[in-house]
Amino acid sequence: MLAEPEIVGDPLKMRVEGMDCGSCALKIENALKRLPGVSDIAMTYATETLVFRLDKDRTKRAVVEDKIRALGFTPLPAAGTRMLRSEQASDADDGRDRLWWRTRKGVFVLGTGALLAIAYAISIAVPSASYWAYLGAAIVGLVPIARRAVTGALSGTPFGIETLMTVAGIGAVSIGAAEEAAVVVFLFAVGEVLESIAAGRARAGIKALMNLVPRTALVEQASETREIPAEKLAVGDIALVRPGDRIPSDGEIIEGNSDIDEAPVTGESVPIAKAAGDAVFAGSINTSSSLRVRISRTAADNTIARIIHLVEEAQGSKAPTARFIDRFAAYYTPAAMVVSALIILAPPLLFAAEWSTWIYRGLATLLIACPCALVISTPAAIASGLAAGARRGLLIKGGAALETLGRVVTVAFDKTGTLTVGRPEITDIVAVDGEEAELLAKAAAVERGSSHPLGLAIISAAEKKGLSIPQAFGGSTAVPGKAVTARLKSGFVSVGSPRYAAEVVSIPVTIDSRIDALEAEGKTVVVVLASKRIAGLIALRDEPRRDAAQAVTALKRIGVRVLILTGDNERTGNAIADGLGLEAKTELLPDAKLAEIAALKERGPVAMIGDGINDAPALAAASVGIAMGGGTDVALETADVALLKDRVGGVVELIRLSKATLSNIWQNIALALCLKGVFLATTLFGVTSLWMAILADTGATVLVTANALRLLRFHSEASAGS
């Protein structure tokens, strides 16, 4: 039997500031693998964490930190290796909210910008010193980039973006284009900072999730009620949850009846009546009366903690679109160098050609191959696409999301607050005794002062109709989860569920059939009782947004599959789906939504649109997550895109904008490469001079930039009709 492998080294954990994508994590991992005594490396760029084992007899921790700094990142201490998720969130706050200009990348962008401004001022004041001023700015800016390129090359990542930028800068300086080199360095620094800011915003979702769970809980201990930290709750503890409190951890009600708002977990828009024996989730809100809850999960394993874990996993495993220029550089940069070297060496060595002529042509080739236009081609198009989207209220948090949108084959919508407005509205009023207006006014009088969404909808409808709402004597009395009763001038009036009405009076078959028909349409029905007689019915439902049907039709027209993934019950979900011509998958908890997204991704890229906390894992796991602007902070922070105008039609605009941007990117790449190809051929025949080589590179850059700016005039067909 084989012996268990010996575990060598102490477990260490640190935060690495500046990791924005998977390639950043890969650079660090490749470098650390080459250090003796470093093992079990686990990088998670989504949370900027690094966990590894270190044999301190072979490599000191300071050496590891120096290596990380040499790659352009900043190592920071973390609280420890084994922590509860609540402690992880607390640790994640440390330094995470640093202002961008205080970060390493922020200091670099300010420094290169200042040098560029100084060089420009010198060129105006002393034109003869213009070249030297820009040369100094370019060299100072290139030194740290070149150092990172060298460190990366020695650590197993030879052709990263730093190598490409170093070649571009040196190429520009070599031909006397110091001004261009200084500008390219500055633009590179700006891009790096913007990536860091976007990545930091995405990480804020985990912090927002943790805020859903109360910090303390009321627990019955030794015949008294004590307040303890929520993370100290143990399985079997009895917690007291008062009206308005959030449930501190998953558990089971052992005493009491109340309406529980489970929107943080299931997305259900209407609070659910719960009684003894029913399960409740951490983060849910107790809306009506006090409950005694037996805790079934600890803080580290409750529903919200598991959602956080799902978000972390989804962000960590998501494979964002790698920057095209990084991938291309792995082949283009060394190939260009080899070709230039061959042009310089081969003719003189093989054919005794004149060295000066072929050195000149080799330099011209290297200058033509200078990747400035390629460096700008993709980010220029992406920047224009992002700006065009922002003008239309489409907040896209990075180029990867913008590129992915154009390739999606499936769009999955959450229902509540996404396809629907997110609050119940009255759809039907059935007066059995009297007029509809009188029935609505009595119901509003009973519900006056209520905070329940159904009650608020009834009051709002009565006020919009300008009805005179009767005065209730002595206020209203609630039977949690069943009904609200008040004494009006005409007598006692109750507004309650059909189940409550059946306990009080005998419901006629005709009315019972009408209730069933309304509920089959996904509507919530309340019965109005006046002096223990049925006065009428009021049906309510969370209705689709005005542009939902038009958006669904437009998505189908461009060949995208559309469906609903919702935590709502099957009847309600299918009713909304049928009305919009969609398929629906209902009663999905967060982990089930995540599984559905994973299955859909097997067929191609998936876009998930949601607004609730329960949508956070699915938004993170989808190829691109889209949040409604009116949704929760968690959805907005976790998602890659936010629809600030809260229009479902914005999804159609996003896809069309992405397709236009992808087309523009490939146009730019083709334009840059074709121009270089033409000038490369003329160089080999001695037609191209150095100044023409400069023109080839600069001209390609100008053309690529001008083409990218066309995206600013983007106008979606979908928006034209909205």
Side-chain angles (χ1 to χ4, degrees), residues 38 50 56 59 97 122 125 136-137 139 207 275 333 354 443 450 481 486 488 511 526 558 564 602 646 683 690 713:
V38 178
L50 163 64
K56 296 180 181 178
T59 299
D97 298 327
I122 292 174
I139 291 175
K207 177 182 176 182
T333 304
E354 187 178 352
S450 171
L488 308 183
I511 296 178
V526 295
I558 59 178
I564 296 175
E602 293 180 2
D646 244 12
T683 298
L690 283 179
R713 298 195 297 272

Side-chain angles (χ1 to χ4, degrees), residues 653-683:
E653 293 184 61
L654 282 169
I655 293 176
R656 287 182 169 145
L657 174 60
S658 175
K659 289 181 181 294
T661 304
L662 287 171
S663 175
N664 193 279
I665 288 172
W666 287 110
Q667 290 169 10
N668 286 346
I669 292 170
L671 186 62
L673 291 178
C674 286
L675 277 174
K676 291 179 184 300
V678 169
F679 278 87
L680 177 60
T682 57
T683 298

Side-chain angles (χ1 to χ4, degrees), residues 16 29 39 77 82 144 229 234 242 293 379 409 443 452 461 484 566 570 617 677:
V16 182
E29 187 173 350
S39 61
R82 294 185 177 181
R242 299 165 299 189
V293 176
V409 297
H452 194 287
V484 179
T566 179
E570 182 178 2

Side-chain angles (χ1 to χ4, degrees), residues 505-592:
V505 299
S506 176
I507 301 178
V509 175
T510 54
I511 296 178
D512 196 41
S513 298
R514 188 64 187 275
I515 291 173
D516 289 342
L518 291 169
E519 289 183 338
E521 296 173 2
K523 298 172 182 177
T524 300
V525 180
V526 295
V527 181
V528 181
L529 300 173
S531 301
K532 294 190 176 181
R533 289 182 297 105
I534 296 178
L537 310 174
I538 298 177
L540 305 96
R541 189 173 71 176
D542 184 10
E543 292 291 271
R545 294 179 185 270
R546 287 183 297 175
D547 68 331
Q550 180 184 357
V552 169
T553 301
L555 287 170
K556 289 182 176 180
R557 192 181 299 127
I558 59 178
V560 176
R561 180 190 178 194
V562 191
L563 73 160
I564 296 175
L565 302 180
T566 179
D568 255 348
N569 62 74
E570 182 178 2
R571 184 186 61 210
T572 303
N574 286 337
I576 295 295
D578 292 342
L580 297 174
L582 298 175
E583 57 180 302
K585 298 191 176 183
T586 59
E587 300 181 8
L588 301 176
L589 290 176
D591 54 347

Side-chain angles (χ1 to χ4, degrees), residues 21 29 47 56 164 248 290 442 454 481 499 509 512 590 672 709:
C21 61
E29 187 173 350
T47 52
K56 296 180 181 178
L164 195 64
S290 295
K442 287 181 177 180
L454 297 181
R499 183 178 62 180
V509 175
D512 196 41
L709 291 176

